[in-house]
Amino acid sequence: MTALRERYLAEMGIPVWRLRVPAPPSAVAETAEAADVAAVDAVAVPMVAPAEALGTGEDAWAALAAKVKTCTLCSLHKTRTQTVFGVGRRDAQLFVIGEAPGADEDRQGEPFVGRAGQLLNAMLRAIGLPRNEVFIANILKCRPPNNRDPQPDEAACCTPYLAQQIALVRPRALLAVGRIAAQWLLQTDTPIGRLRGRVTTYGESNTPLVVTYHPAYLLRSPHDKAKAWTDLCLVKELLSRSQ
Ligand code: SF4
């Protein structure tokens, strides 16, 4: 294990275990092979069409941001402090998708801030992608009261905005963080433990999609950080393949 990788794992809070006997070279190869096999297990998922065509480029981003900012399509507009549109590079290779803003996000107008956001940042840095190199957004742009789960009708109203964002960014890969985001995007009730660790696809563009645990969950359950690390390695592998 390189010093650099050890530093990344330490930053994610993953303890580094050392084998008492050196692992044979085949052990490393098997790990890479397992990820490789997982990477071809594709599931076709229908793309939710954008509410309306907004074109492309800066005008399209501005039009979309304006629509979200003033949106009243679902009842969450009544309780939000502000909408949380999303942040990041508009030509990012990786698009990270969470479920909905929490209290900090609602206050600051930015997704994934606070402790969970810091862990997400560390996870992204671990695969060589600082936060400002990816695009980050949620399925819902407004906070559900008391951080309750999004309702299906709210997600259905809001997903076209996300679909439009994905269409504008045209990422090489999507990373769904958390059960809610993963199950909604894949339209399944399969437990997250069976959705993560492999690659599915999303939308008509068949954009590769990897699922991993939500950083808020990882803060409560650090024993699963090692699994999240393998998911991120899968993302890195995907991105390096598609260059
Ligand atoms: S959650 Fe989405 S659909 Fe609902 S009001 Fe906010 S922006 Fe509109």
Side-chain angles (χ1 to χ4, degrees), residues 71 73-74 76-77 80 141-142 157-158 161:
C71 180
L73 281 178
C74 81
L76 295 179
H77 78 276
R80 71 187 177 211
K141 310 304 188 201
C142 303
C157 284
C158 215
Y161 295 135

Side-chain angles (χ1 to χ4, degrees), residues 101-217:
D104 291 334
E105 289 79 12
D106 176 66
R107 201 162 37 242
Q108 296 182 39
E110 185 167 330
F112 285 98
V113 293
R115 284 183 68 220
Q118 285 168 15
L119 179 55
L120 177 67
N121 295 347
M123 291 164 70
L124 293 171
R125 273 199 306 273
I127 54 167
L129 285 174
R131 181 180 173 98
N132 60 3
E133 286 290 315
V134 305
F135 196 90
I136 306 174
N138 287 308
I139 289 170
L140 293 188
K141 310 304 188 201
C142 303
R143 181 193 180 204
N146 303 315
N147 293 348
R148 66 158 170 72
D149 289 351
Q151 300 296 309
D153 61 319
E154 295 161 354
C157 284
C158 215
T159 300
Y161 295 135
L162 176 71
Q164 187 71 34
Q165 288 174 313
I166 294 171
L168 287 168
V169 174
R170 301 179 65 193
R172 288 187 179 145
L174 303 168
L175 176 65
V177 293
R179 174 183 64 85
I180 303 258
Q183 290 182 340
W184 176 257
L185 291 172
L186 295 172
Q187 292 292 288
T188 180
D189 56 6
T190 301
I192 187 168
R194 285 171 42 207
L195 295 176
R196 57 153 298 277
R198 61 198 179 109
V199 178
T200 56
T201 59
Y202 180 77
E204 290 172 358
S205 60
N206 285 330
T207 308
L209 168 69
V210 173
V211 169
T212 195
Y213 294 112
H214 196 286
Y217 165 79

Side-chain angles (χ1 to χ4, degrees), residues 19 23-39 197 230 234 237:
L19 293 171
S26 61
V28 176
E30 279 167 17
T31 305
E33 196 174 287
D36 204 42
V37 168
T230 65
L234 191 52
E237 162 80 9

Side-chain angles (χ1 to χ4, degrees), residues 4-78:
L4 190 60
R5 177 167 288 199
E6 283 190 18
R7 184 164 65 79
Y8 288 150
L9 291 174
E11 200 166 355
M12 287 177 63
I14 297 175
V16 177
W17 292 79
R18 294 179 192 285
L19 293 171
R20 292 189 182 174
V21 249
S26 61
V28 176
E30 279 167 17
T31 305
E33 196 174 287
D36 204 42
V37 168
V40 292
D41 185 8
V43 174
V45 180
M47 179 76 164
V48 181
E52 58 188 79
L54 290 169
T56 57
E58 292 301 313
D59 289 349
W61 279 106
L64 183 60
K67 276 190 166 293
V68 169
K69 194 171 184 178
T70 56
C71 180
T72 56
L73 281 178
C74 81
S75 62
L76 295 179
H77 78 276
K78 297 176 188 165

